[in-house]
Amino acid sequence: MFSMTRDAFGPDFVFGTATASYQIEGGQTDGRGISIWDTFSATPGNVRGGDNGATACDHYNRWPEDLDLIERGGFDAYRFSFAWPRLIPAGVGAVNQSGIDFYDRLIDGMLERGIQPFATLYHWDLPSPLQDKGGWMNPDIAHWFADYATLVQQKFGDRLQAVATINEPWCVAFLSHFLGIHAPGYRDIRAAARAMHHVLLAHGTAVKALRAEGAKNVGIVLNLQKCEPASDSDADRAASDMFDGVFNRWYLDAIFRGIYPQDVLDRIAPHMPKGFEAEMGTVSAPIDWLGINYYTRSLMAHAPEEPVFGVRSVEGGLEKTETGWEIYPKGLEDLLVRVASEYTNGPIYVTENGMAEIDEVEDARRVAYYDAHLQAVMRAKARGADMRGYFAWSLLDNYEWAEGYAKRFGLVRVDYKTQERTPKASYRAFQGMLHNG
Ligand code: IFM
């Protein structure tokens, strides 16, 4: 049970749960094209156990059961993502009618159950033919992505409550092109600098394309992390500021102020795409809402031996989740208040929050995690952040990217052999709060 009632969040506050296409869908035989996660996971060493999303939670076939779970849980909304390669197998050009039909069924299924569809256009499954052309390193991706956004708006826009362009641009750019942990697995500052700009340029170009097709409720989803210094030393404080620039300010400054933070730019300027300054107006095209994904904090130390930024994260002493991430609800409150006071007085949603836990259905620690973070949202709201909703990550145990199926984030347990779904105590905690007002 949670310690609060849903009334405490106000009458229009939206409660939802979230997933992403590659992590749950499977169903790769309907004409869907290949994505960078199919190829990345096929390369030994990239993903724990060599796991891939070929079957995942078989949501492609089991979506009615999954939507029933959302409805029975009492959730108002479902945050899902479209798989670009399912809709446009080559990334540009011919459309896959079976893919259109699948999302038609899924969205209509939500509406029949009274669930608001919150859609994300890009949650990391880039069509491989676009990667062959340079992917996020190629400036043309802004138009490839805008054309895909236009298709989505034309086919489904009349039934979507909200659309987010990109999920977690830091992961798309930095984690995938500098740290090499996610597809396409580059470890190259020039590749990263290009992706860091093009992912935002694609976002802004898509915002304009969506609006041209009549979209009214367009946003982006950023993963933000509270950065704190590992010690009181000036050097560690500077390291924390630098990482805050790379992780948080790069995206917030760009979207809300049309600039990149100078301290980060100073480190990567030679690698930035030529003429990027002229594109910052597009990058900062006005949005209707901001989504924030929050999981933990970063404890940062000065590390001159580290390339480019000279910082590294160190292990903290707080209680940790199964992924080793510190549990730090105050970081969520601080971030929400900061974003609201420094960047936007517009609507903010927590679009993801949750924890990986050992494989157990009576997940008391996860119930406590959610409770503490929901309290943080309430405190941020009381301190002036325009909080409009909260989405639990995730509805189902699912494919946790480079961790394969080893890390379980679900409110509902998935037995990957039988595909049986079993609601956990955390699901029942939401259900209790959402059904009882
Ligand atoms: O599973 C991911 C999700 O795809 C994006 N945000 C973080 C989650 C947990 O790592």
Side-chain angles (χ1 to χ4, degrees):
M1 267 192 25
F2 290 145
S3 63
M4 71 286 289
T5 62
R6 77 166 292 163
D7 298 349
F9 294 86
D12 299 322
F13 193 88
V14 172
F15 279 96
T17 181
T19 64
S21 48
Y22 192 81
Q23 294 179 271
I24 64 164
E25 282 180 359
Q28 298 187 352
T29 52
D30 72 341
R32 170 193 176 277
I34 297 172
S35 83
I36 54 174
W37 272 93
D38 300 307
T39 49
F40 185 74
S41 59
T43 307
N46 282 344
V47 175
R48 186 194 283 241
D51 291 347
N52 62 44
T55 305
C57 306
D58 192 29
H59 174 75
Y60 185 79
N61 296 305
R62 294 169 196 266
W63 61 267
E65 181 183 353
D66 294 339
L67 294 186
D68 287 348
L69 281 164
I70 297 171
E71 183 186 12
R72 280 205 300 277
F75 294 100
D76 311 304
Y78 176 39
R79 177 171 174 251
F80 70 106
S81 77
F82 291 103
W84 188 348
R86 191 182 297 289
L87 289 172
I88 310 177
V92 291
V95 170
N96 175 29
Q97 187 56 44
S98 306
I100 302 279
D101 295 344
F102 169 66
Y103 292 112
D104 267 335
R105 292 194 291 275
L106 184 67
I107 294 167
D108 288 346
M110 287 180 225
L111 297 178
E112 281 158 18
R113 291 166 178 79
I115 300 166
Q116 301 169 32
F118 274 61
T120 301
L121 296 178
Y122 185 73
H123 198 127
W124 309 350
D125 36 6
L126 186 73
S128 290
L130 298 185
Q131 187 62 47
D132 298 341
K133 297 177 188 166
W136 294 102
M137 297 176 289
N138 186 333
D140 291 344
I141 198 156
H143 301 290
W144 304 334
F145 185 61
D147 288 349
Y148 159 56
T150 299
L151 174 78
V152 168
Q153 182 61 29
Q154 287 172 346
K155 298 287 182 191
F156 312 108
D158 56 335
R159 288 165 287 164
L160 299 178
Q161 177 69 26
V163 181
T165 53
I166 307 272
N167 180 71
E168 301 186 355
W170 179 84
C171 294
V172 176
F174 203 83
L175 188 66
S176 308
H177 293 80
F178 188 64
L179 300 179
I181 293 169
H182 278 189
Y186 288 102
R187 291 170 55 80
D188 184 298
I189 191 57
R190 192 170 178 82
R194 272 139 209 277
M196 284 163 73
H197 178 61
H198 294 149
V199 71
L200 287 164
L201 182 63
H203 152 74
T205 309
V207 169
K208 291 180 177 176
L210 289 163
R211 292 213 192 287
E213 292 296 329
K216 299 257 176 328
N217 198 16
V218 182
I220 185 170
V221 170
L222 304 181
N223 53 320
L224 301 180
Q225 220 164 90
K226 181 84 193 304
C227 298
E228 298 189 344
S231 78
D232 276 346
S233 73
D234 288 348
D236 285 353
R237 284 182 189 284
S240 175
D241 285 348
M242 173 54 70
F243 198 61
D244 180 64
V246 173
F247 210 105
N248 302 320
R249 283 183 283 115
W250 184 265
Y251 303 96
L252 291 165
D253 284 6
I255 291 163
F256 292 107
R257 298 177 182 161
I259 53 167
Y260 287 131
Q262 196 56 47
D263 53 347
V264 181
L265 209 45
D266 286 345
R267 305 288 175 119
I268 62 173
H271 308 297
M272 287 293 286
K274 207 160 180 261
F276 75 87
E277 297 88 343
E279 295 168 333
M280 296 308 288
T282 299
V283 166
S284 56
I287 52 175
D288 304 302
W289 57 275
L290 175 69
I292 296 179
N293 295 352
Y294 176 81
Y295 289 90
T296 188
R297 68 171 175 175
S298 291
L299 213 47
M300 301 307 300
H302 176 58
E305 71 282 5
E306 292 294 330
V308 189
F309 302 102
V311 302
R312 72 184 158 84
S313 65
V314 300
E315 193 178 329
L318 304 178
E319 182 187 349
K320 297 189 181 67
T321 72
E322 179 65 358
T323 32
W325 299 348
E326 286 183 299
I327 299 176
Y328 191 46
K330 182 174 180 304
L332 175 58
E333 176 186 351
D334 291 350
L335 275 171
L336 294 173
V337 170
R338 173 188 178 193
V339 169
S341 61
E342 292 178 23
Y343 289 100
T344 176
N345 49 21
I348 300 175
Y349 293 82
V350 173
T351 32
E352 284 181 27
N353 179 231
M355 67 177 275
E357 183 55 302
I358 53 168
D359 185 8
E360 61 181 8
V361 166
E362 294 307 316
D363 54 347
R365 230 161 62 99
R366 188 182 278 112
V367 174
Y369 179 102
Y370 277 125
D371 194 276
H373 287 80
L374 287 168
Q375 288 184 33
V377 173
M378 286 203 295
R379 287 195 301 271
K381 190 166 152 56
R383 291 174 63 191
D386 185 4
M387 299 310 306
R388 298 295 181 94
Y390 176 96
F391 291 75
W393 183 270
S394 177
L395 173 66
L396 304 170
D397 289 339
N398 60 45
Y399 182 75
E400 178 56 14
W401 307 111
E403 295 293 336
Y405 294 98
K407 303 295 176 201
R408 292 176 176 266
F409 278 86
L411 298 173
V412 175
R413 180 175 189 276
V414 176
D415 179 327
Y416 294 113
K417 289 204 181 76
T418 62
Q419 293 293 347
E420 187 187 355
R421 274 78 162 137
T422 308
K424 303 179 189 177
S426 51
Y427 173 93
R428 297 197 304 270
F430 275 104
Q431 191 175 39
M433 178 177 76
L434 297 176
H435 279 296
N436 291 328

